[in-house]
Amino acid sequence: MSFIRNAELVPAPARRSLATLFSNVSRWRVPLSILALCIMPWVLPSQALAVNVLIYGLVAVGYNLLFGYTGLLSFGHAAFFGAGAYATGIAIGAFGVHWFIAMLIGVLVSGLLATVMGMLAIRTRGIYFSMVTLALAQLVYYAALQASSWTGGENGLRGFTVSTLHLPGFSVNFLDPLVKYYAIMIVVAAALWFVSRVLNSPFGAVIEAIRENETRARACGYDVERTKLLSFILSGILCGLAGTLSAMHLSIVPLDSLHYHTSGLIVMMTLLGGAGSFFGPFIGALAFLSMEDIFSLWTSNWQLIVGVIFILFVLYLPKGIWGTLISWGKSR
Amino acid sequence: MSVTNIGKQFGGLVALKDVTADFQEGQITAIIGPNGAGKSTFFNILSGALAPSSGTLRFRGTDMAGVPQHDYVHRGISRSYQITNIFPNLSVLENVRVAAQAFRSRMNIWADRSADSDSQDRASAMLASVGLSARAAAPAKFLAHGQQRALEIAIALVADPALLLLDEPTAGMGPEETREMVALIEKLAAQRTILLVEHKMKMILGLSDRVLVLHHGQLLADGTPKEIQANSEVRRVYLGQNDGYA
Ligand SMILES: Nc1ncnc2c1ncn2[C@@H]1O[C@H](COP(=O)(O)OP(=O)(O)O)[C@@H](O)[C@H]1O
Ligand SMILES: [Mg+2]
């Protein structure tokens, strides 16, 4: 059969170099991101900013697994970030647990929370899904506010400090900002590599199919609900991991890390950089936090400027920074 | 596949009522009837997308009640849609590959999807047989209408189903494309059971072994194309008013 009468079979000529560049960037995405992460503290204005980019970059990449790749708009991802942070902080502060075990506990708790929230939210669709995730995350926020003997309530969780990372055979001075950056970077790079593998896997193909057409994905033989739930849990675990890193970095967990502002921030960073691409959310976090860093020096109304820039992006460059660059590369 | 006393209500609306039929393996059965007769609803029930309000559905001896929709294709029932239902932003090849992959590694989050060369090969072969190889890398949404219909069928077919349900496969196609589709369906029929909803009478009468006529959700007639043509009631409610299709 040849339904290809209208097909443009003209092979595109040599003006492909930019497209080739972008497909190479995509192929080498893991080594390239590690390279970028290695030089980040040297090119950004401060190491504190660089660490923030690492942590929020990981949050946004984890969030994007659900939002950009599975097509589910969650407004509740602060819950996983915060749960990871609180669990790690409490494990260290109240139980004196080894930092590595505390991180595992943080990841586990956020994974469990994601399983519960996911099972409740996944059966709803569209705006209802967003609202259910928002409401459940607010529940977690109020629970943390009430359980102040454990969480420190409004003041946030304090009283735990990781000054040295003890590893078999050697230890790392976690108070040296640069050492701390690279220690956190190793974890973030491993997580990025993990996400990259997941996206390349058959599972990655299925979540994209679900984003594109849920009905057809189901007719093709995929258990859509189970796949969505797994994506939700993976996404929650990645945000939880970022939360544990944040707790160890700051030695405090602000109550705000569970607030819906944080959830909104995650969505904004992802959209700003470009959902549905591997690098987009990380670049969104980088752009957002850099703007905050620069504009907040000039004016206390920096959120207004960032807000306007965000709106301009949504209106005129809906694919975000990285998504737009990719389209340019392909159309040249 | 056998259906017994299948009924379906949407609120107060009776879309299907007491439909009973048996489908022999290896036959092409056409389902005809005016718009709103319940043909697509019938297909939705046969493919598990809708649960019937009453009646039973048996496939190869097993009762299909309670079988989740996504299991239907694994049991050998696959369908195409009346309104093109593809993965618009995925490449044409990926559209078919992801459908083929469902039979290999459903939930694997650790393997590399390109290592599944079997799905890759089946998808490429499928695209070749519907004439879409040249467009394999294009996003599916950029295909022309006829090509999207071909892709629609390819996604359903790569499952290699024992029972294939085609809902108006030639909808919106010109005569040339329709001829090509008929040739494809004839080729497919050698190895499987096909159910086909169509409006193009000439095509149906030439292609099918058997014709079912639905009218207001009820089975009005069931017979060979010759018997259906001769059935006076069918002529009255359907064939007569649809001369334009013939
Ligand atoms: N999901 C649904 N909800 C409510 N009514 C429906 C639904 N699907 C079909 N119907 C109604 O059922 C009747 C049969 O529709 P359908 O099976 O699509 O007919 P056909 O495919 O023969 O044109 C129509 O009156 C239609 O409006
Ligand atoms: Mg129909």
Side-chain angles (χ1 to χ4, degrees), chain B residues 10 13 15 33-42 44 50 82 167-168:
Chain B
F10 295 111
L13 180 95
N35 271 326
K39 305 182 296 293
S40 292
T41 302
F42 190 49
N44 284 336
L50 287 177
Q82 177 177 1
D167 199 350
E168 307 203 17

Side-chain angles (χ1 to χ4, degrees), chain A:
Chain A
M1 209 159 41
S2 58
F3 294 132
I4 46 170
R5 227 160 297 118
N6 308 327
E8 58 278 18
L9 292 171
V10 196
R15 56 193 161 80
R16 273 259 173 102
S17 56
L18 250 171
T20 319
L21 175 71
F22 273 95
S23 82
N24 280 336
V25 165
S26 174
R27 183 165 316 136
W28 299 102
R29 61 195 184 187
V30 171
L32 276 173
S33 13
I34 290 171
L35 184 69
L37 295 184
C38 281
I39 60 171
M40 205 160 66
W42 307 98
V43 292
L44 289 185
S46 73
Q47 274 147 12
L49 173 62
V51 174
N52 265 339
V53 172
L54 280 183
I55 289 170
Y56 281 94
L58 176 57
V59 171
V61 167
Y63 177 71
N64 197 40
L65 190 65
L66 188 70
F67 175 51
Y69 284 91
T70 319
L72 295 173
L73 174 58
S74 158
F75 274 129
H77 264 50
F80 312 124
F81 179 68
Y86 272 105
T88 301
I90 292 170
I92 297 172
F95 299 102
V97 163
H98 186 266
W99 63 270
F100 185 75
I101 307 292
M103 278 185 71
L104 286 183
I105 291 173
V107 169
L108 201 71
V109 166
S110 56
L112 285 174
L113 184 64
T115 309
V116 173
M117 275 178 64
M119 290 202 292
L120 292 169
I122 238 83
R123 305 258 152 200
T124 59
R125 234 145 253 168
I127 190 73
Y128 298 102
F129 176 82
S130 308
M131 290 300 113
V132 169
T133 50
L134 175 65
L136 290 171
Q138 281 303 94
L139 227 69
V140 175
Y141 173 85
Y142 283 108
L145 184 61
Q146 294 303 319
S148 54
S149 54
W150 285 102
T151 62
E154 267 179 88
N155 301 321
L157 182 68
R158 289 158 196 274
F160 67 96
T161 306
V162 181
S163 46
T164 317
L165 301 185
H166 295 288
L167 287 153
F170 69 111
S171 47
V172 176
N173 178 8
F174 207 58
L175 294 176
D176 177 333
L178 206 57
V179 172
K180 185 196 249 180
Y181 175 88
Y182 284 109
I184 292 177
M185 190 201 87
I186 289 169
V187 179
V188 171
L192 290 182
W193 172 72
F194 172 75
V195 174
S196 175
R197 288 220 48 155
V198 168
L199 292 177
N200 272 332
S201 73
F203 172 80
V206 180
I207 58 175
E208 282 190 88
I210 290 174
R211 176 196 67 204
E212 289 296 305
N213 189 338
E214 193 179 315
T215 310
R216 193 66 194 242
R218 191 176 285 112
C220 282
Y222 292 108
D223 186 339
V224 169
E225 273 68 37
R226 221 178 95 193
T227 311
K228 280 182 177 177
L229 181 62
L230 187 52
S231 169
F232 196 97
I233 295 170
L234 284 176
S235 172
I237 281 176
L238 288 160
C239 290
L241 177 62
T244 69
L245 294 173
S246 166
M248 302 221 309
H249 162 54
L250 296 173
S251 295
I252 166 180
V253 183
L255 181 61
D256 266 358
S257 56
L258 282 172
H259 199 268
Y260 68 78
H261 287 165
T262 307
S263 295
L265 199 69
I266 300 169
V267 181
M268 267 171 87
M269 286 173 176
T270 307
L271 282 173
L272 188 65
S277 62
F278 181 75
F279 287 109
F282 210 97
I283 287 169
L286 173 66
F288 190 97
L289 294 169
S290 304
M291 284 195 292
E292 174 182 343
D293 202 65
I294 295 163
F295 297 144
S296 60
L297 289 179
W298 301 350
T299 161
S300 55
N301 295 325
W302 63 270
Q303 286 186 316
L304 195 68
I305 306 177
V306 175
V308 168
I309 292 175
F310 175 73
I311 289 168
L312 289 176
F313 259 93
V314 170
L315 287 179
Y316 298 108
L317 298 169
K319 288 178 179 168
I321 299 168
W322 187 247
T324 307
L325 283 174
I326 290 178
S327 317
W328 277 357
K330 281 185 180 158
S331 64
R332 282 294 163 85

Side-chain angles (χ1 to χ4, degrees), chain B:
Chain B
M1 168 70 87
S2 86
V3 297
T4 319
N5 300 327
I6 288 283
K8 181 73 193 174
Q9 275 123 277
F10 295 111
L13 180 95
V14 179
L16 279 181
K17 201 178 158 209
D18 259 349
V19 175
T20 298
D22 249 315
F23 300 103
Q24 251 82 63
E25 283 190 24
Q27 276 199 338
I28 301 182
T29 306
I31 298 167
I32 63 171
N35 271 326
K39 305 182 296 293
S40 292
T41 302
F42 190 49
F43 267 25
N44 284 336
I45 288 171
L46 293 182
S47 62
L50 287 177
S53 313
S54 56
T56 54
L57 196 67
R58 300 180 78 80
F59 181 66
R60 295 179 153 172
T62 39
D63 190 342
M64 298 296 277
V67 173
Q69 187 193 347
H70 63 82
D71 262 359
Y72 272 62
V73 73
H74 294 286
R75 289 169 185 245
I77 304 174
S78 179
R79 70 172 297 187
S80 76
Y81 290 79
Q82 177 177 1
I83 296 161
T84 303
N85 205 354
I86 57 180
F87 305 110
N89 291 300
L90 303 184
S91 75
V92 171
L93 179 65
E94 181 65 8
N95 264 264
V96 184
R97 199 203 62 78
V98 80
Q101 180 196 286
F103 303 91
R104 307 279 303 176
S105 44
R106 270 199 263 183
M107 277 299 204
N108 197 335
I109 68 166
W110 203 242
D112 191 330
R113 65 172 101 161
S114 61
D116 177 7
S117 55
D118 180 72
S119 300
Q120 202 90 24
D121 295 346
R122 275 174 68 181
S124 300
M126 196 65 240
L127 286 185
S129 73
V130 299
L132 283 176
S133 298
R135 305 298 318 263
K141 63 181 174 187
F142 292 147
L143 294 184
H145 175 78
Q147 295 175 324
Q148 289 197 357
R149 293 306 296 168
L151 179 59
E152 171 72 44
I153 309 279
I155 296 171
L157 263 182
V158 80
D160 194 20
L163 174 63
L164 178 64
L165 311 167
L166 300 171
D167 199 350
E168 307 203 17
T170 68
M173 283 187 175
E176 174 62 24
E177 288 169 337
T178 302
R179 252 193 301 282
E180 286 167 354
M181 183 63 78
V182 169
L184 177 69
I185 294 171
E186 269 171 342
K187 200 169 84 190
L188 295 172
Q191 309 127 48
R192 66 199 89 232
T193 314
I194 296 180
L195 262 67
L196 175 77
V197 167
E198 261 304 338
H199 281 303
K200 292 170 181 156
M201 287 312 299
K202 225 181 223 157
M203 166 179 167
I204 292 165
L205 298 174
L207 190 61
S208 41
D209 302 304
R210 177 184 174 200
V211 179
L212 300 185
V213 186
L214 276 178
H215 186 56
H216 292 318
Q218 279 181 293
L219 202 55
L220 186 75
D222 176 353
T224 64
K226 274 211 168 66
E227 288 164 0
I228 295 298
Q229 267 181 304
N231 185 316
S232 60
E233 210 177 346
V234 174
R235 295 190 77 89
R236 189 171 56 75
V237 303
Y238 189 61
L239 294 178
Q241 50 181 299
N242 277 286
D243 270 345
Y245 285 114

